[in-house]
Amino acid sequence: VRRMPALWALAIFLVALAPRVYFYTRIHYVPTSDFTNFYNMGIFFTQGRFAEIAKISTDYHIASFSGLGVINGLVMKAFGTDVRSFQLVQCVITSLSSVMVYLIARRFDEGSAPAAGLLFALYPANIVFSQVTSNQHLAVLLSLTSILFMLLALSSERRVRAGVYSALSALMLVLS
């Protein structure tokens, strides 16, 4: 196990992605209520309709909520604005979260880390919910990445490296 962390990470990613893609091909999700707003904010960003994003954010009474439109918009600029392409990206993001769980668990116990990653990868609610155009998927990935960077900072013996890891941890947490 100790000699194959990259192989384990890849295996966990593929094990996580397979059922998500299976459900992706079977479930034709149509965003409703808040999820429509999350999706539309990304569309508005790609179209340069920033006032529309601000209006939706105002309706939620959360000023920083417009950041979701920016993040979703950046994802859509990279992978397309179609609901299906956005859903597929959500499947990849939730699969990457499984890898992050594995990498975090390695910091505590390498022997059980694959089990932690696989349990997260195969959690049924997470698999099915990955089809929903939610802000949760990326937030979880960024939060887990933040935790990993903080663990790296805490274990680093070099101050500069610890500072870089701490800054990256803070950035991931802010973005989440």
Side-chain angles (χ1 to χ4, degrees), residues 54-72:
K55 181 182 180 332
I56 292 173
S57 296
T58 302
D59 291 345
Y60 281 91
H61 305 288
I62 304 171
S64 63
F65 197 67
S66 56
L68 177 61
V70 173
I71 291 172
N72 284 352

Side-chain angles (χ1 to χ4, degrees), residues 135-146:
N135 61 329
Q136 175 210 351
H137 310 306
L138 188 58
V140 168
L141 177 61
L142 293 172
S143 296
L144 290 169
T145 305
S146 175

Side-chain angles (χ1 to χ4, degrees), residues 4-115:
M4 303 181 294
L7 186 60
W8 270 114
L10 177 63
I12 289 168
F13 175 77
L14 294 175
V15 166
L17 188 61
R20 286 160 176 77
V21 169
Y22 173 81
F23 280 101
Y24 168 80
T25 63
R26 302 290 188 273
I27 298 172
H28 293 279
Y29 171 75
V30 177
T32 58
S33 81
D34 290 342
F35 303 115
T36 302
N37 288 335
F38 301 156
Y39 176 73
N40 286 339
M41 287 170 73
I43 296 285
F44 296 149
F45 180 85
T46 65
Q47 298 169 343
R49 296 168 57 191
F50 306 118
E52 300 279 345
I53 296 171
K55 181 182 180 332
I56 292 173
S57 296
T58 302
D59 291 345
Y60 281 91
H61 305 288
I62 304 171
S64 63
F65 197 67
S66 56
L68 177 61
V70 173
I71 291 172
N72 284 352
L74 291 173
V75 169
M76 288 177 178
K77 278 190 174 278
F79 300 102
T81 58
D82 181 67
V83 171
R84 296 295 286 165
S85 62
F86 195 65
Q87 272 182 279
L88 188 57
V89 170
Q90 303 301 315
C91 293
V92 170
I93 288 171
T94 58
S95 298
L96 288 171
S97 292
S98 301
V99 173
M100 282 296 136
V101 167
Y102 162 72
L103 293 174
I104 290 167
R106 277 190 73 228
R107 308 293 302 166
F108 297 98
D109 180 34
E110 275 198 65
S112 62

